[in-house]
Every structure is written in C-alpha cells, then in structure tokens.
Amino acid sequence: EQAPPIIHRDLTPENIVLNENGSVKLIDFGAANEFVGTATGTLVGKQAYMAPEQLRGKASTLSDIYALGGTLHYLLTAKDPEPLSESSPRELRLDVPEALDKMILRLTSMEESDRPQTANAIAMEFAELKLTVASDSDNNSNGNNSNGHEHS
C-alpha cells in the first residue's frame, strides 16, 4: 500500500498498456492526486468507469477499485460498462467464469464498503481465482464438460 495513497481517478482501458516484456503498466497520471482525507475537486475521468462517489466529487482510493472492475468488464466484453451500475460481464459473455463475474460485481459495487478495500486484497483474490479457474480447466480437459458429463 502506498503511503499516502495515490488516487489515479482515470483508470480506464485506454490508460493501461502492455510493454514489450509483457508487463502491464498504468499510464496518464495527469488526474492523479495524493489522497488526504476525503478528496474533493475537479471531476476527472470517463463516466462509464467513474464510481458514484467520484461523480459526487468525493473520489477515494475505492473509486479506482470501482474503475478497475469496469476496466475488467471492458477487457472481457469489448464493451464499456453501464455508468453508475454494478458490472456483470457474464450477462454479455456466458463463458466468463462465475467466480470472476462475482469478483467484478463486488469491485463495481455502488457502496464503497462492499468493494475490496485494498489492492493487496484484490491481488489475493486474483491468485485464488487463478487457482480455481485452473482447477476447473483441468477437470474439463479430463473428458468432462462444465456439467460433469463426458464429451461425446
């Protein structure tokens, strides 16, 4: 965790790049602020990715967590999320794992208290999700489909 925390305030697919060695980088910190108390001020960001509190001029570190959920929605569906809503990419793509869909729903919760509270908590959830999805994939490759029936 960064001390004091930084609020990016414009976390969108356009501000994430993949460099030559395959690592993901966040760019365009022009809207970023150090978080001191409750940040208020200029409204910055793309509306489809903005948390409700950010639209009210009260951006917090949890606003970036909401935007991360919206960005994941876009990466899975190639469609911007609905502004001011909880995102469920599974509604557009049934092949999105249910556990990932539930995680994105929590990331984009309208209530800050219902979102994961830190980047470390999200990283831990992704690690658990990766194990779950890998395990499900192994089960499916052993001749069983997602319903537990053998392929014909």
Side-chain angles (χ1 to χ4, degrees), residues 16-31:
I16 297 175
V17 295
L18 187 65
N19 71 11
E20 312 82 45
N21 67 4
S23 58
V24 176
K25 302 292 181 187
L26 184 59
I27 62 170
D28 192 5
F29 282 83

Side-chain angles (χ1 to χ4, degrees), residues 82-150:
E82 284 294 318
L84 294 176
S85 67
E86 295 179 352
S87 294
S88 174
R90 194 170 167 89
E91 290 178 4
L92 299 173
R93 287 201 39 205
L94 291 176
D95 62 332
V96 172
E98 190 173 341
L100 179 57
D101 189 66
K102 286 180 180 178
M103 182 180 182
I104 293 169
L105 279 165
R106 282 196 1 275
L107 291 170
T108 58
S109 173
M110 299 298 283
E111 299 297 325
E112 290 177 274
S113 61
D114 293 338
R115 296 179 208 146
Q117 299 295 297
T118 65
N120 285 338
I122 296 167
M124 289 174 52
E125 283 190 51
F126 269 122
E128 291 173 23
L129 184 64
K130 181 178 176 184
L131 292 174
T132 302
V133 171
S135 174
D136 288 348
S137 176
D138 290 345
N139 289 339
N140 290 339
S141 66
N142 290 331
N144 292 334
N145 66 19
S146 60
N147 296 327
H149 297 106
E150 290 188 21

Side-chain angles (χ1 to χ4, degrees), residues 38-78:
T38 303
T40 60
T42 308
L43 191 62
V44 177
K46 190 173 177 184
Q47 189 171 2
Y49 298 86
M50 291 176 71
E53 67 276 4
Q54 187 173 352
L55 281 169
R56 292 189 301 268
K58 306 264 186 208
S60 74
T61 55
L62 295 171
S63 304
D64 283 348
I65 288 174
Y66 180 95
L68 173 63
T71 297
L72 292 171
H73 175 94
Y74 178 85
L75 293 173
L76 290 166
T77 66

